[in-house]
Structures are given as structure tokens and as C-alpha cells.
Amino acid sequence: MLKYLVIPAALLCATSAHADEGQWQPYQLPQLKSELKRVGIAIPAEKLADLSKHPMSAIVSLGGCSASFVSGDGLVVTNHHCGYGAIQRNSTPEHNYIANGFLAKTRAEELPGGPNTLVYVTDKVENVTSRVLKDVTPAMSGKQRSEAVERAIKALIAECESDKFYRCSVPAFHRGLEYYRIRQMMIRDVRLVYAPANSLGDFGGDIDNYEWPRHVGDYSFLRAYVGKDGRPADPSPDNVPYKSKDFLVVSAAGLKNGDPVLLAGYPGRTSRYKLPAEIRYARDAAYPAKAAEIQSDLNVIAEATASSEGNAVRYASVVKSLNNVMKKTRGLVDGFARKDIAAIKDVQDAEFRAWYGKQPAANKALLAELDALIAADIALSDEEFGYGVATTGDLLKSGSTLYRLAQESAKPDAERESGYQQRDLAFIKARLNRLEQSYVGSVDQARLVAALQRYAKLPKSMHVSGLDGLLPSVDAVPALFAQSQLGDTAQRLSWVGKDAAAITASDDAFLKLAVKIDGVTQSLKERRKELDGNLERVIPQYMAAVIAWKKSQGKPVYPDANSTLRVTYGTVSPYSPKDGITKGPFTTIEGIVEKNTGKEPFNAPANLLEAIKAKRYGQFKDPILGTVPVDFLTSADTTGGNSGSAVMNKNGELIGLNFDSTYESITKDWYFDREITRAIHMDIRYMLWVMAEVDHADNLLKEMTIKYPKK
């Protein structure tokens, strides 16, 4: 049964790659020398595989977005939407940095990014598969297997984090076939340095999201600070800028159609190896339900904040995030309708099963067991979706977090549920504290009322066993808020560290509700643990066989994205979204004038329009376009989490920032279609031009190392 469980790492690399598909682990790049040479990348593959060397040592994660160092003093560049939380945190109706932008002319003027603004610097990746699976036996139940893996992972993390300088993780690759331990330095004093006005940094807003052509300056700057000893420290006025070992040189030389690019970042999640049944579930049930749920929640927030600008500002980051997920989810639904990916996968799956059946060592029961487990996973996912709807709301989530923290804190640290260990305490406090900037009682109450009404209308398959009778009636919700103090930040944080008995004895309405539903919550988690353990037993065997099959065909074999450091490559490329229509790879600042209406979201700043009208192109004028470029397209393989990723030229110099994909490309999370898959990047020349001609960020231009085109 376990013959396919662990295979040599070399098998995970293809003998040749096709097109520009692939989100490659850095260690795989030496296997792709011919491909990198074909595209035109000049950096040696061995250097790209070394995390301690430039340019990989300059690539960082923000925990959901990607970024890169662009100076030796910890200056970080990323997307505007990735820095949005820090911008919103510091905004008030009197000082609305969302609307007006922000620029610190000196270090002293830089603003705190807040406890959720973090910079992660990856410095070590090691294969720990054998250590994770050392205690796993074929006779284990799913839960036993899951718990054995979890114990091993916790031990590996604790070993790695014996130096508090680091934050470590052990994610699975190829759906549990391999495990790698990732060591990252976590910098927790991160400050907002510069962000353009929202009408520039988010020009086109949600209307243009995932669309092409685009004309958005999606960039912002942060700075990483550490203690005087050079080690990460809590935010303090005494901290000093982090001396980044390496940083990217910024190139204003630009690109042209067909030029190669290299992209590095932390892509979130892809599902390229999912089975046809999983695709059909996502297409026909999961994504439509998710889209409907998000839209309903957005409608409630809009109505509840309509009469208050202050409340709208508080929920701006929440709304922006929900809108982004909504647009992508709808794009997936539309993409599945446009191209029958399930049918394509049916053909591939049939070919694989035919090949697998001819292998002498094939486990004849494997595929039938896999199909049964996938069906069970789909059924449980329905219940988990329903649970998520029923428990919408910040105070209910806060109460549940506090009670679970109290329960877990009574156990030895190694035995606690992941996410509630001592190492997680700072993150829990940060989440609880974050509501200071993004919570209004009346809005949260409206969201919970509407969510309970939606939950009641869901199909029975989405109702969690035992939950319905424990939930409050809609009429009882106002009393819950009136009888709870969790809306107050100090009161909310005061429960951190209290034991379960204290919380059980509390008369706070949301703590009482959290205690009431905790049994059902844990039962749902236990069922998930049993199922996941069985999936983790079977799917790695399946994936090992799939990899062997693909390798026999010379096809690319890379793991699905899982928020770890990946490298992809491609070329500047136009595309044809439909017959008779071809879209070029560049947009220019003149397009901003054409789109501008003076009303959101197409309300470009007056000083920007004036600079365009005056044709103050400076040294950022493209010789072919005859003006300043704004955004461009490439064939690079990206997904969510790649936002803010450094787009580099063949020499590893920063020439753009990834921020989006075309609408037709959204289904690339499931299937890479090389003809229409395009990533959207901001041209670094536009950023530099705005900094020089519009926002006069001269201090930052001087701080960065910029290579200007030869005259």
C-alpha cells in the first residue's frame, strides 16, 4: 500500500517543460537550464536555486502577498492592495491616506503598519519527508495517521524555532507526498513609507479587477525594522531599519514584446492535480455557493455602512478583500463555463488510469479507494461551508477563538491544536486587536442576522449535525450584542490567558454562545481530521503514480502552489481572448486620460492628469510606445499570493510588480492554458515616473539603486 509514498526528489523534476507553465521550487531550477536558456534568462540556474544569493535573497513574503527588498535599509516594495491594511489602519476621515495617499519624507514620519503587517525572509528549505512520516503505519486510522503527522510536524517546528529569531513551517507538497521545512526570519516591526492615492493605486477599482487593458499603479512601500542587535523585535521607537543582505536593483530600461521575465514570490493555492469529480464539485456547487455568499455579505456591509463615512473607512479593507475574492470566484465560474476543464481532465484521467492499470506494481484497490474518499470529502466540505455561513461575524469568531485558546492552553504545548500553541499567541492577539480598526457593532450585528437567515435556507446537506438547535434566532441577535463586551478591544484582549472555567462562567453573551457550540465545532474538526488522515494516506500514492506517468511523457512536474517560495518565467506577450480580438501587451498613461471620468473608480488625481497633459515623460518614455507605459502582460504562471511579486528582467533587475491576471486566465488555478493565460504586471517605469513627476518621492528615488536607460 505504501510503495508510492516516498520517491526521490529528482523524480519531481521534469526532463523538459512545456510553454511557460510551472510554479517551480527553487531547488528544481537547475533541472530547467534548457528552458531558462530558451526563454532568455541570463542568471545561472544554480544561483537561482540558492536562497542565500541574489536575487532570491531579496524576495520576501508578507503572509498573503509577495514583496522584495529594494534598498539595503529594509525598504520593501509591494502592491498597493497588499499594503492596503496598513494604509487603512492609519486612515481617519481627517487624515484619509486611502483617498489622498501617504509619503514619509523622513524615517521619523513612517507610520506603524500594525501587528498584522509582517515581513518574512526565507533562508532555509529542507526535505523532511522521512521525519514527518517516520511513525506512520498502514494499520493506523485516518485520525491516528493525521495526529502522528501533526506531532512530527510540531516537533520539527519546535526544533527549528528554538531560536526565536525564526518562524518555521512544514507544508505538504504534492498533496502529502513530500514535506519541506521552511525557515523564515519574521520581522514584526514594519512601517508604512509611501502609498499613492487610491485613485492611482486602485484606478479602475473592482470594475477593472482581472480585466485587460489596465491602467493601475498598484504599488506601495514598507520598511522593515529590527532591534539594534539586528534581530527581529517588537515595534519600538528604538528599532533601526533592517540591513537587508541583498536587494533588487531597479531597472528603468523597460521591456518590449517577446522579452523574457523571471518572477519570484509566494503563490497561494492551485489545484492542477485535482480529479474530475473535484473539478465538477467546484464548478457546479462550491464556487457558485461561495460567490452568492460573498455577494450577500458585501450587500449587507454596504447597506450597514452607507450612512457613515467613518464606518465605511473601517470596513474598507474588509470590503476590498471580499470584492477581490468575489471577482476571482465569479471568474472561475465563468471560466469553467467557457472551457470544459472537467472534460479535459476526464481524458487525462482515463489515460492515466489505463497507464496505471498496466504497471506491474500497481495497487489495484487504490483508485477505487481514492474515488470514495473524494466523495466523502465533497460531502464534508458542504457541511463546512454551512458552518462558515452560520458563524459569520467578528464577535462570534472572537468568542470562539478565546474559548478554544483557553481549552488548548490547559494542555502541554506540544499537544495543543495547531494554531493555539504558544508560538501562535502573538498572532491571536493581533487578530483580536485588528478589530480596533475594522469593527462596528451595528455592522457586525447586521452581518450575523443576515447570515443566520441565509443559513436557514441552505440545503440540508450543508447543515451541520447538531448545530441548528444551538444557534440563536434572528430576533435574539440584538440581545447578544447588548449583553457582550467583546466589541471593546481592551475587554476582548483581557480574556486572553483566562482559563476555560472562567470563560464558561462568564455572562458575556458571545462567550456563552461560543461555549455552547464548541462541541459541534470540535466534532466537525474531528471528522475532518479522520478524513484528511485517510486522504493523506491514499493521495500521495496516487500523486507518486501521476508524477511517474507525467515524467514518462516528458511533461512538467511541479507541486501545486502552497504559499511557499516559487519561481516562474515567461515572456512579454499579447493574447487573443476570443476570435478576431487581439490585446497588446502594454498600456500607457494616455489610456488613463481616456478612461478618466472624474468619478470613482475612474477618477485619476488632478496632478497626474496635468503631468500627462504636459507630456512630462522625462527619462521614462518608452522608445517604441513614445510615452510612459503603465501595465504589461506576460505568460508567467502566477496565482493569488503572487500579488507584489518581483517581475525581473533576464539579469534579475526589477522591472515590474505582479498584481493580477486576465479574466480569461482565472481558471489557471485548475488548468494552465498557454494560449490565453496571461499575468498582469505594473511597469516599474510608471511607478518611477509617478514618484518623480507626481508625488515627488525624491527621498525614495535616491535611496533605491536605479539603472536608467542609456541615452
Side-chain angles (χ1 to χ4, degrees), residues 155-167:
L156 285 162
I157 289 173
E159 176 184 277
C160 183
E161 292 182 351
S162 58
D163 183 344
K164 299 306 177 186
F165 193 71
Y166 297 106
R167 180 80 178 180

Side-chain angles (χ1 to χ4, degrees), residues 474-488:
V474 167
D475 293 339
V477 170
L480 289 177
F481 282 85
Q483 295 164 18
S484 176
Q485 295 182 317
L486 292 187
D488 178 81

Side-chain angles (χ1 to χ4, degrees), residues 177-250:
L177 179 62
E178 286 198 325
Y179 293 85
Y180 283 78
R181 181 164 64 181
I182 318 290
R183 189 174 76 171
Q184 297 176 308
M185 180 173 60
M186 184 179 75
I187 300 175
R188 52 189 186 273
D189 186 351
V190 182
R191 304 178 194 177
L192 178 64
V193 177
Y194 166 47
N198 198 65
S199 53
L200 190 155
D202 192 27
F203 182 75
D206 294 318
I207 293 174
D208 264 7
N209 199 14
Y210 290 109
E211 300 295 341
W212 184 258
R214 295 290 291 278
H215 297 83
V216 62
D218 200 349
Y219 70 90
S220 63
F221 286 84
L222 306 169
R223 193 182 304 279
Y225 280 79
V226 292
K228 292 180 179 178
D229 60 357
R231 295 169 66 88
D234 290 332
S236 167
D238 297 329
N239 287 345
V240 297
Y242 171 66
K243 296 297 180 182
S244 34
K245 176 180 177 291
D246 283 307
F247 58 89
L248 297 182
V249 170
V250 178

